[in-house]
Amino acid sequence: MAEVNEELNKIVGELQNAKIDYHEGRRQQMKAEILESLKRLYPDSVFGRLLDLCHPIHKKYQLAVTKVFSKYMTAIVVATEKTAKDCIRFLKQERAEPETFLALDYLDVRPINEKLREIKGAKMLVDVVQTPFAPLKKVIQFVSGNGLVCETVKEAKQIAFDGPVRLKDLMKIKRKETDLKQLYAQCHGIQMRLKYSQTELELIKKKHLANLYTEKSKLESELVNIESQHDMLNEGVAQRKEKIEEFQKKIHEAEDAVFREFCEEIGIENIRVYEQEHVRQQEEIDKRRLEFENQKTRLNFQLEYNRDHLQKLTNAVSKFRETIRKDEAEIIGLQKDEEKFLKKVNELAKEQEHLKDRLNVHKSEVIKTQKEVEELRKTMLALNREATKLQKEATAIETSLEEKRLRRHNMLLECKVQDLKIKLLFGSLDDISEVELGTETEGTETTSSIYEREEAIQIDYSSLAEDLKELESHKEIEDHLNQIQQEIKAKENTLMKTAAPNLRAGEKLQIARDKFQESIDAFETSRKEARTCKQEFEQVKKRRYELFSQCFEHASVAIDQIYKKLCRNSSAQAFLSPENPEEPYLEGIGFNCVAPGKRFMPMDCLSGGEKSVAALALVFAIHSFRPAPFFVLDEIDAALDNTNIDKVSSFIREQAHERFQMIVISLKEEFYSKADALIGVCPERDEVMFSQVLTLDLTQYPDTDDQERNEKHKRSSVSE
């Protein structure tokens, strides 16, 4: 039982130490994250911790520098007092631990005593510490003051006690201050350990006591078996002792026979008496002499040390008694204050319950507004689609107008070239430019100026016959044109018969007609090609917009849900917004998110962990549109803390069991401990270095947290 209790105490002590180390590591990580965020908010004003900004000129001065810097070792150096106050406000908002700030414009630096530099065997601490940042010398002078560094303790004592009187007083005051600070720090540390140990004890009582009682019963049964075995072994040992005694008697008889003459000369019974008395006495005398000399030297050194230490202790005890009296008086006052504060706490608890009720009401209102916002987003997307359709129709109408303007221009240009006289109400044919326009020149400044000039030209249709005025459709106009052309050909034939024929004139006319027809055909083919290309381009553009909008709409809806699942908080928000809503694939897409418990900030102002969680939400949202067979993720947990690692790993595990396979490269135990299987690669040497692959199936070792969650889920489903 005693051994079991000892082992229990050892285990409890180790658990307490592990818990303290974990909390301390967590605290240091939080401090580093807060410093990074402060540097990001005030990049030109926050320089960093004093520990990182300066270093001693040699390693041997490291201990002396840490001793003198003491509480300012982890202080944050800031440019102005205003930035220090802003940083303190930020720490209060984040509910972080208090920090010490050293503002360069606020420090009251005292001048250095130059006489101390003349002391032999000592150096000023200001001269020992170096820094690449020039304004930091002021901070080092403020922290170190007139501190001196010596090579040995003897030199330090000689300078402190045999030096000037002022130095003695300063040393005494500083020693007393440091002793007091150390005692305060020790008290604070002991209080923190007490809290952690109390919480740990409660946990052990709840979880481990039942297991320990079962182990105790097992150990008791084993003890009974061991005792029976022990009795058996004792009987065997007794038998062997009897045999050893018989052998020892025979040995003594042999020794007596050999050393009989020697023992008779000396006057001793046997040789064993001689060995026990004379030889051992001399060895003991030599040992005692050495021990006496060593002890004498030790006691001399201890006497000197104890005398000095006694004087210090007597002074310290007297001070502690005074402080104890003061503390007792303060404790009585604090107890009274505690009673008052307890009353206030009860009142505040009631107010808190009232505020919680109000908060629940507000949350329900917020959920309603979120649903309304999502509906409005959907309506906006539908309106955008309708707007794009209308724009396409407008562009089609504009293209048809351009074609009609171009046809009018080419017809008027033909009339001008062939010198056909047309009756005009306004303008003249001289205003028409002789440039033949096509589809390639559409949209330029020259065509717009030409069309503006030609709009002023108005043709007089009053001289036309009534039959021609009644023509409305394109087919009727084309039929009438064909009739006119046939009549023209008939008249040309009659003219050819009556007039004197010019054989070469017909050939020339035919060549000119062929060339003209070739140019018209080429023009028409190029116009048709341009139209078909434009139609194909519009179809591709429409298809591209449809495909992109399908993916974008799915991702914009899914990313908010995935981000909430990753953060395990319904207040978290993530949304996508295109920079160009008409053609979103031409420009970028804005991605913003609101972290849980924080106000809206741009993506650049978020921490590394928050950025990585947002990036994972975007990846999983895009993946949900067209899922791939498996994922390969490389060290996604590099910037995540333990809480975010737990959230991300649990989300990935759920998705991996339901939707897709995943391979994750990770170096953090908190992440890869939740995997189904582990694959490790390590080097191995056997004449030649080669890689060895190690695998481990973790499904054989189920996680207790997952089991508890599954049980809770089953219970909730059963109760429903």
Side-chain angles (χ1 to χ4, degrees), residues 500-713:
N502 189 359
L503 298 170
R504 289 188 178 178
E507 291 176 1
K508 287 178 181 178
L509 183 68
Q510 190 65 34
I511 290 161
R513 280 178 179 173
D514 292 337
K515 286 181 180 178
F516 182 69
Q517 191 66 35
E518 284 175 2
S519 62
I520 288 167
D521 292 336
F523 176 71
E524 289 294 329
T525 53
S526 61
R527 186 183 284 176
K528 286 176 182 177
E529 285 176 0
R531 284 176 186 169
T532 53
C533 290
K534 197 169 186 181
Q535 288 173 358
E536 287 174 358
F537 175 75
E538 289 293 329
Q539 288 175 359
V540 170
K541 188 178 176 183
K542 185 181 178 182
R543 180 65 178 160
R544 187 181 180 186
Y545 179 79
E546 286 174 356
L547 291 169
F548 186 85
S549 61
Q550 283 175 6
C551 182
F552 178 74
E553 285 171 9
H554 179 82
S556 61
V557 174
I559 195 166
D560 190 39
Q561 298 171 357
I562 291 165
Y563 188 64
K564 283 174 181 175
K565 286 180 182 177
L566 278 168
C567 295
R568 291 183 189 170
N569 198 327
S570 59
S571 64
Q573 291 181 358
F575 44 88
L576 301 171
S577 57
E579 292 179 3
N580 186 1
E582 293 175 359
E583 294 183 6
Y585 44 79
L586 294 177
E587 295 181 16
I589 290 168
F591 175 35
N592 292 303
C593 61
V594 180
K598 290 189 178 180
R599 56 186 175 78
F600 175 77
M601 286 190 287
M603 195 66 80
D604 295 333
C605 296
L606 296 174
S607 64
E610 289 168 350
K611 283 180 183 175
S612 56
V613 171
L616 285 169
L618 182 62
V619 169
F620 291 136
I622 294 165
H623 170 266
S624 65
F625 179 65
R626 285 182 183 173
F630 62 89
F631 261 92
V632 180
L633 301 174
D634 188 7
E635 292 191 19
I636 55 168
D637 55 352
L640 299 176
D641 56 0
N642 290 333
T643 53
N644 283 323
I645 285 169
D646 183 33
K647 291 174 184 177
V648 172
S649 61
S650 61
F651 176 79
I652 288 169
R653 189 167 186 179
E654 287 172 6
Q655 295 296 318
H657 285 293
E658 292 174 3
R659 295 186 181 179
F660 49 77
Q661 295 176 332
M662 188 165 293
I663 299 165
V664 184
I665 299 161
S666 176
L667 298 173
K668 292 187 178 181
E669 187 182 349
E670 292 84 359
F671 194 91
Y672 64 72
S673 62
K674 294 193 177 180
D676 292 330
L678 293 178
I679 299 168
V681 182
C682 64
E684 188 168 334
R685 291 185 181 179
D686 187 9
E687 293 179 358
V688 180
M689 186 180 283
F690 62 92
S691 297
Q692 186 182 8
V693 179
L694 306 171
T695 58
L696 179 65
D697 186 10
L698 292 178
T699 54
Q700 299 174 3
Y701 312 101
D703 194 0
T704 54
D705 295 334
D706 290 338
Q707 285 180 353
E708 287 176 1
R709 283 177 193 163
N710 292 326
E711 285 175 2
K712 285 179 182 177
H713 183 69

Side-chain angles (χ1 to χ4, degrees), residues 152-180:
T152 60
V153 179
K154 282 184 180 179
E155 289 177 358
K157 284 181 178 179
Q158 191 176 357
I159 293 162
F161 299 108
D162 300 331
V165 179
R166 191 178 174 188
L167 190 62
K168 284 182 192 175
D169 297 333
L170 284 167
M171 291 295 286
K172 284 178 183 177
I173 290 159
K174 283 186 178 179
R175 279 182 182 175
K176 289 168 185 177
E177 285 177 357
T178 51
D179 289 336
L180 270 170

Side-chain angles (χ1 to χ4, degrees), residues 214-230:
T214 54
E215 285 179 7
K216 183 187 170 185
S217 61
K218 287 178 183 177
L219 288 167
E220 283 176 352
S221 62
E222 286 175 2
L223 250 173
V224 173
N225 294 325
I226 289 159
E227 282 175 356
S228 62
Q229 289 174 3
H230 181 69

